[in-house]
Amino acid sequence: MNRLEGKIAVVTGSARGIGRAIVEKLAAHGAKMVVSCDMGETSYEQKNVIHKILNVTDREAIKTFVDEVEKEYGKIDILVNNAGITRDNLLLRMSKEEWDIIMKVNLDSVFNLTKAAIKPMMKARTGSIINMASVVGVKGNAGQANYAASKAGVIGFSKSVALELGSRNIRCNAVAPGFIETEMTAKLSPEVVQGWRDAIPLKRGGQTTDVANTCLFLASDLSSYVTGQVINVDGGMLT
C-alpha cells in the first residue's frame, strides 16, 4: 500500500546503511519524491529518488538546499535527520576535535535542517520530523561520551520541537536503534558480534529494514497521534 503517496521526503546520511534503507522504504511506499542527501555519491533504482550532495555541517548550504527543494516540489512533508558519525575514545584521551566534530554532524545538523524545514511545514500546517538517536543516547556507553551526548541531545531536541510545533500539526519523534547489522558492524570480529547478540533478548542483531519500517510508520498517517516519542528499535536491549 502506498502510505506516502504525494509526499515529499528529505533524508540525510542516505548513501549507505540505515539511511539508504530509509530512502528505499519511503520511495517504495509511494512518496512523490525522496531527496537523498549525503556527501557520498550514490544512485537508486526508483525513479522517485533524487540524490544531492549536501554537507550537513554547512548552515548556509542547508538553507539554500531547503529553499531549492521547496521551490522545486512546493513543500516538504517528511524530514529524516539520519546523518551521523562516531569518533570513539575514552574521555581521558578524547580530543576537543573528536568532541566538536560529533556535535557538528550529529546534533548541530539536526538543529539547522529542522529549523530550515519547519518553515514550509508551518505554511502547510503539516509535517513529520524523524530524528535518528541511539540507545547509547538513552543509556550511555563507555568510550562514547561524545556520541552519547550528541544522541541524548537529539532526544531532548525532538521532544522540545514536538511541544513547540504540535499546534501546527507538525510531529517530531526520535528513533533509537540498538545493534543494527550494517557494513560497519561487518568489520567487527565474530566474537564481538556474537557477544552483542547474546545480550539482546531477541538474540539477534537488527537489520536496516527494521529501522526503516519504524521510520515509515512515523512518516505516515498511521502515526498521526504520535509525537514527542523515542522509539527504541533494539530487540529489547534496553528492557
Side-chain angles (χ1 to χ4, degrees):
M1 185 178 294
N2 290 338
R3 296 285 184 187
L4 304 177
E5 190 168 354
K7 303 289 188 182
I8 305 298
V10 171
V11 184
T12 67
S14 51
R16 62 192 65 81
I18 290 173
R20 186 179 182 88
I22 293 170
V23 166
E24 291 172 343
K25 183 67 65 173
L26 301 188
H29 276 262
K32 180 179 179 181
M33 185 59 65
V34 181
V35 184
S36 158
C37 310
D38 202 287
M39 289 296 286
E41 295 284 355
T42 192
S43 60
Y44 297 90
E45 291 182 8
Q46 296 100 327
K47 294 180 180 178
N48 57 329
V49 178
I50 181 171
H51 183 74
K52 292 181 178 288
I53 301 296
L54 178 65
N55 181 354
V56 296
T57 68
D58 187 333
R59 183 178 297 183
E60 291 305 315
I62 286 170
K63 289 179 181 177
T64 300
F65 163 75
V66 169
D67 288 344
E68 288 175 351
V69 171
E70 184 183 11
K71 182 177 180 181
E72 189 164 355
Y73 303 111
K75 59 178 181 173
I76 296 176
D77 298 294
I78 301 156
L79 171 65
V80 183
N81 285 305
N82 174 71
I85 60 172
T86 58
R87 292 292 186 274
D88 297 350
N89 213 337
L90 294 173
L91 182 59
L92 281 172
R93 299 174 183 170
M94 187 175 290
S95 67
K96 188 173 186 304
E97 289 72 25
E98 288 171 326
W99 176 272
D100 289 346
I101 190 60
I102 289 294
M103 293 303 159
K104 283 185 74 174
V105 175
N106 294 5
L107 186 56
D108 290 359
S109 70
V110 176
F111 164 74
N112 290 325
L113 268 158
T114 303
K115 185 174 181 181
I118 62 173
K119 291 178 181 178
M121 288 182 178
M122 289 173 74
K123 279 189 218 172
R125 296 190 69 83
T126 186
S128 177
I129 300 162
I130 304 164
N131 296 325
M132 202 57 60
S134 168
V135 293
V136 173
V138 178
K139 68 182 288 289
N141 195 35
Q144 287 192 305
N146 51 359
Y147 185 77
S150 71
K151 294 304 185 178
V154 167
I155 290 171
F157 177 81
S158 300
K159 289 178 175 289
S160 298
V161 170
L163 290 169
E164 285 189 26
L165 299 179
S167 62
R168 301 295 185 98
N169 196 35
I170 298 171
R171 298 180 295 110
C172 184
N173 294 283
V175 175
F179 182 69
I180 306 298
E181 296 184 356
T182 64
E183 296 169 5
M184 189 182 300
T185 60
K187 297 176 183 178
L188 299 174
S189 71
E191 293 78 15
V192 169
V193 171
Q194 192 58 48
W196 275 98
R197 290 171 178 159
D198 290 342
I200 297 169
L202 289 183
K203 302 303 178 186
R204 63 178 177 84
Q207 303 302 309
T208 56
T209 51
D210 294 318
V211 182
N213 285 335
T214 303
C215 290
L216 171 63
F217 167 71
L218 292 173
S220 75
D221 290 338
L222 289 173
S223 60
S224 62
Y225 201 55
V226 179
T227 193
Q229 303 305 302
V230 182
I231 300 181
N232 297 338
V233 185
D234 65 356
M237 182 189 292
L238 295 189
T239 303

